[in-house]
Amino acid sequence: MMKTLQTKWISLLLALCGTSAAIAGAEDNIRAVRRVAADSRGALYTSNRDPLLPSPLMKLPIGSITPRGWLRNMLELESQGMTGRLAELSPWLKFESNAWANKEGKGQRGWEELPYWLKGYGDLGYVLNDEAIIREARKWIEAVLAGQADDGWFGPRDLQKSLEGKPDMWPHMVMLNVLQSHYEHSGDPRVLPFMTRYFKWQLGRPGSDFASGYWPKLRAGDNIESVYWLYNRTGDAWLLDLAKKIHANMADWTSGVGDWHNVNIAQAFREPAVYYMQAKEPKYLDAAERNYQTVMGLYGQFPGGGFAGDENCRPGYGDPRQGFETCGIIEFMHSFEMLAKISGEPLWADRCEEIALNTLPAALTPDLKALHYLTGPNMIQLDRQNKNPGLANGGTLLSYSPYEVYRCCQHNVSHGWPYYAEELWLATADDGLCASLYAASEVKAKVADGTVASIVEETDYPFSDTVRLKLALPKAVRFPLYLRVPRWSGPPEVKINGKAAEVKAEPLSYLVVEREWSDGDTLSLRLPMQVAVRVWKKNKDAVSVDYGPLTFSLKIGERWQRYGGSDAWPELEVFPTTPWNYGLVLNDKDPAKSFEVSRRAGPLAGQPFTPDTAPLLLRVKAKRIPAWRQDALGLVGPLQPSPAKSDEPVETVTLIPLGAARLRIAAFPTIGDGPAAHPWVEPKK
Ligand SMILES: [Zn+2]
């Protein structure tokens, strides 16, 4: 009795001190923390090495997590679709003539394309344990490893002087990621010395080399991450000098947004937070959040998790009809995954889910055999015609194609889902595990004293609010299990072995269940989802509708039409077959009450991101706005102020998850009939 009391007191004291140290004894300790602390350096997995700041959360070795459910199906579609078979389509992947595959770095097409593709293709093989993919990726990796020059440079030799005599180090940043994954998967002993030789070469370059070119100087934060990755494995102190040198010379993202190109932002806004691990001054960590807020405040004023950056962000072009490049989507995801680990903050995982679940699926056709350049929240027709100046670039941007018309995205889209699958579970600094992104999966990982725990996660999340975990352990062992409580969640409910546990956790926290876990234990977590309406004041008071992590779009009938390509690899346009120009008629007092949620009967479809298979539907009253029309370019007319007047009859319309809607209206006008309602002005011809 006495001991229990004491344990409780110690637990309380530790909780007050904000520490997450393990409590001795058999008591369950269930608590909530705002962020994962890094009071210690996790002993079980590669963590930041001194003097870098300790890592609160660490990536598990590739292969520890086996995705299941819809995510696995998405990865299998990817393996049978464009990424898995890209060598059939892309001249950039011709092994015999490619400079990346040549021992002397001679040949053609030696830039970002091959590394972009290989970065996700290899990981796709690793997460699916697909031998054929792993073998094919290995062929390229072997060639790269065999092609290092005496000075440490590798790959295409032309790049060594391609920027007015200075080296273009950007494609190498991507190839380093390929090698890191290969090492994490295989433990290949050649990788660390290979990277060491390349970084030694980099260290010998003048600082001005890191300020050269456009892409490399803006994206060199990626280079710094690879330097830290190697440092954590070898401990060579000079690597930190190199990181410092790169940071000091590359574009500045610490004092503000360093550039307005969408992909540059999506991957480089995080750079100060990466450097924070070495610099340790909070201003660096804060700068990543501030960059995000600056960009989203100006250009991300609509749902879906992306921003209006249909090449570069352009003042005056922030309407939800603007697009966000597919490369931007997946680089944003990767940034969020990285920041979740660096900061220990659940918000970054929320942001990752937001864009992954609402925007990435619609960037590709449902069979993952083609993609388009731009995805935005309001897109009512995906044809191949020029949309400039409505969109920044000329030419085809919205129709789906597997070919090199969208060359960067065509190759770079590869790592979106594989990286996501690798980040579902993370190791914690206190030798536990964290469910960071929720999806059906199985994780096998070391906990506590190194005991290997296996956890099967069963869930239809994000289409269901309940996650069931089943543990398998060789012996009873005490460790903390961190469960993310997203920002939209109602009070979470937990059952351990079928028995309700007392839990209290605010949205945007981690629920920590620390106890002695035994073989066969189960935990069920319910994160109550509710309808929520967001108002976009900077976009004419338009509204968007969420249910849990999912945002919803008007369901628009789709007519798919082939305009090019082959039978096996068609290029496709999508045209609407049903009206889309609706404003929502909402309950004034409680807008969320305007919606009726229904669930499609039966098991979850393998590909749930299509209008016909969408597992959740919302119904809501709406009126058409006849003057809201397609413009001469075929884009949806820009939003006008809400509430809008409409004399049309009230109808009931269906909304589907935004990720399932390739034709989409997700930023809606509202309908009003009072004096504040605005007539929708006929656009000028
Ligand atoms: Zn791209």
Side-chain angles (χ1 to χ4, degrees):
M1 189 66 188
M2 204 49 205
K3 187 156 186 257
T4 310
L5 265 177
Q6 254 175 17
T7 311
K8 275 192 176 152
W9 272 112
I10 294 166
S11 163
L12 184 63
L13 274 171
L14 287 172
L16 286 172
C17 301
T19 144
S20 57
I23 314 296
E27 280 286 292
D28 288 6
N29 176 358
I30 303 178
R31 59 192 187 271
V33 294
R34 282 288 180 190
R35 52 188 286 273
V36 182
D39 300 329
S40 54
R41 291 181 197 271
L44 303 174
Y45 289 104
T46 307
S47 162
N48 273 352
R49 193 189 274 259
D50 195 55
L52 297 180
L53 281 176
S55 325
L57 294 165
M58 287 150 280
K59 188 180 168 197
L60 292 166
I62 298 175
S64 307
I65 301 166
T66 306
R68 294 182 174 183
W70 69 262
L71 179 57
R72 179 169 199 92
N73 194 59
M74 204 64 82
L75 291 157
E76 281 171 357
L77 286 171
E78 186 176 334
S79 74
Q80 294 144 24
M82 206 183 66
T83 295
R85 294 170 57 189
L86 197 58
E88 295 173 31
L89 299 166
S90 166
W92 301 83
L93 309 188
K94 298 267 174 270
F95 188 82
E96 292 69 26
S97 56
N98 191 289
W100 285 105
N102 182 279
K103 262 192 171 166
E104 277 90 44
K106 290 180 193 153
Q108 300 167 343
R109 301 182 190 266
W111 201 50
E112 67 180 6
E113 292 79 5
L114 181 273
Y116 258 169
W117 167 75
L118 192 54
K119 174 172 169 179
Y121 180 76
D123 285 54
L124 180 63
Y126 311 145
V127 295
L128 285 176
N129 205 11
D130 183 317
E131 285 304 327
I133 293 180
I134 295 170
R135 211 179 314 119
E136 181 66 17
R138 188 67 181 250
K139 183 177 87 179
W140 287 95
I141 291 166
E142 286 296 333
V144 170
L145 288 172
Q148 191 165 39
D150 292 342
D151 63 0
W153 180 263
F154 63 94
R157 300 300 190 265
D158 286 352
L159 292 178
Q160 210 169 0
K161 290 197 164 96
S162 64
L163 298 175
E164 294 168 346
K166 290 181 179 297
D168 181 356
M169 296 184 265
W170 155 239
H172 284 64
M173 297 177 207
V174 188
M175 190 55 88
L176 289 169
N177 291 158
V178 173
L179 297 176
Q180 288 164 224
S181 283
H182 166 62
Y183 178 82
E184 288 178 29
H185 175 252
S186 69
D188 187 333
R190 295 170 297 173
V191 173
L192 304 187
F194 181 95
M195 286 176 66
T196 300
R197 288 191 291 272
Y198 176 64
F199 289 144
K200 269 210 176 115
W201 172 84
Q202 281 198 317
L203 186 67
R205 303 299 303 180
S208 58
D209 274 17
F210 300 94
S212 298
Y214 176 63
W215 310 113
K217 134 183 113 182
L218 286 157
R219 298 176 177 181
D222 291 30
N223 201 148
I224 296 176
E225 286 146 29
S226 295
V227 170
Y228 292 155
W229 182 92
L230 185 64
Y231 173 71
N232 288 334
R233 283 160 180 82
T234 66
D236 288 335
W238 58 267
L239 286 166
L240 300 183
D241 299 334
L242 174 60
K244 216 171 184 173
K245 185 173 190 172
I246 298 171
H247 174 80
N249 287 283
M250 68 173 283
D252 171 25
W253 291 89
T254 307
S255 52
V257 176
D259 182 67
W260 289 96
H261 182 274
N262 81 85
V263 187
N264 289 340
I265 293 172
Q267 80 185 89
F269 83 95
R270 68 174 187 252
E271 186 274 339
V274 173
Y275 188 63
Y276 162 72
M277 297 189 288
Q278 179 172 2
K280 302 183 184 177
E281 289 173 57
K283 72 166 185 181
Y284 290 104
L285 184 61
D286 297 345
E289 175 67 22
R290 198 197 50 235
N291 287 342
Y292 176 85
Q293 295 289 353
T294 301
V295 172
M296 299 305 275
L298 289 169
Y299 296 103
Q301 294 300 304
F302 45 67
F307 56 87
D310 36 58
E311 193 64 39
N312 294 290
C313 298
R314 293 179 294 163
Y317 291 86
D319 188 89
R321 73 178 193 162
Q322 304 306 136
F324 188 45
E325 191 182 322
T326 302
C327 283
I329 299 171
I330 54 136
E331 296 293 352
F332 232 8
M333 285 168 61
H334 185 36
S335 292
F336 299 155
E337 287 155 5
M338 197 170 289
L339 290 165
K341 291 182 296 229
I342 293 171
S343 69
E345 301 270 0
L347 181 57
W348 293 111
D350 271 40
R351 288 170 174 163
C352 186
E353 284 188 347
E354 183 181 20
I355 191 162
L357 303 173
N358 294 302
T359 302
L360 178 58
L364 295 105
T365 53
D367 58 7
L368 277 70
K369 286 180 81 175
L371 55 63
H372 60 188
Y373 196 60
L374 300 176
T375 307
N378 286 4
M379 291 198 152
I380 50 141
Q381 180 168 304
L382 306 175
D383 64 66
R384 68 184 190 277
Q385 305 303 330
N386 175 50
K387 303 279 179 270
N388 178 266
L391 301 176
N393 291 324
T396 304
L397 298 167
L398 304 182
S399 64
Y400 291 102
S401 171
Y403 300 101
E404 65 176 301
V405 60
Y406 307 132
R407 196 170 86 205
C408 53
C409 310
Q410 179 197 22
H411 296 88
N412 193 21
V413 71
S414 62
H415 62 88
W417 289 124
Y419 275 27
Y420 193 82
E422 289 167 15
E423 301 275 338
L424 299 178
W425 290 90
L426 300 169
T428 64
D430 52 359
D431 298 333
L433 284 173
C434 174
S436 183
L437 304 167
Y438 293 109
S441 58
E442 179 173 4
V443 59
K444 280 195 174 73
K446 290 179 279 186
V447 293
D449 57 358
T451 301
V452 175
S454 159
I455 304 178
V456 172
E457 177 175 355
E458 279 179 6
T459 182
D460 283 343
Y461 186 95
F463 307 106
S464 110
D465 63 4
T466 302
V467 172
R468 290 184 190 82
L469 306 179
K470 184 163 190 197
L471 286 81
L473 287 158
K475 62 170 189 183
V477 62
R478 187 179 179 89
F479 68 93
L481 196 55
Y482 287 69
L483 308 165
R484 181 172 57 92
V485 181
R487 55 189 154 179
W488 45 259
S489 179
E493 296 163 18
V494 170
K495 284 183 189 162
I496 299 171
N497 296 327
K499 194 167 158 253
E502 206 177 305
V503 297
K504 204 164 177 252
E506 299 290 321
L508 272 191
S509 63
Y510 289 99
L511 196 56
V512 189
V513 183
E514 182 169 5
R515 66 192 297 275
E516 187 173 272
W517 296 99
S518 300
D519 189 40
D521 276 355
T522 60
L523 183 147
S524 142
L525 168 69
R526 182 167 172 260
L527 300 165
M529 296 180 180
Q530 51 248 315
V531 174
V533 174
R534 280 187 278 174
V535 180
W536 300 95
K537 290 210 171 305
K538 292 185 190 167
N539 255 325
K540 319 279 186 193
D541 290 312
V543 297
S544 63
V545 188
D546 304 314
Y547 184 70
L550 298 174
T551 294
F552 280 71
S553 161
L554 179 71
K555 182 178 182 180
I556 301 173
E558 300 172 348
R559 180 171 61 83
W560 291 72
Q561 185 172 300
R562 180 176 157 194
Y563 68 92
S566 64
D567 286 349
W569 298 101
E571 294 184 292
L572 298 157
E573 299 177 300
V574 193
F575 296 92
T577 61
T578 55
W580 53 264
N581 53 350
Y582 287 99
L584 302 185
V585 179
L586 298 180
N587 178 327
D588 283 345
K589 295 205 175 64
D590 190 350
K593 284 226 166 74
S594 321
F595 300 84
E596 188 192 307
V597 183
S598 64
R599 189 171 294 276
R600 196 182 294 277
L604 194 72
Q607 168 49 297
F609 293 102
T610 78
D612 295 334
T613 58
L616 285 170
L617 307 172
L618 301 183
R619 308 267 286 165
V620 62
K621 290 194 165 55
K623 281 184 178 186
R624 291 184 67 183
I625 302 171
W628 189 17
R629 303 216 183 103
Q630 205 167 16
D631 73 6
L633 295 167
L635 292 169
V636 58
L639 290 172
Q640 296 187 19
S642 284
K645 268 196 173 58
S646 169
D647 298 328
E648 299 295 304
V650 173
E651 302 173 48
T652 299
V653 296
T654 301
L655 311 187
I656 58 173
L658 183 56
R662 283 153 187 88
L663 299 182
R664 44 200 1 231
I665 294 289
F668 292 93
T670 59
I671 299 293
D673 49 15
H678 305 267
W680 201 278
V681 181
E682 289 274 353
K684 287 191 208 97
K685 286 276 184 258

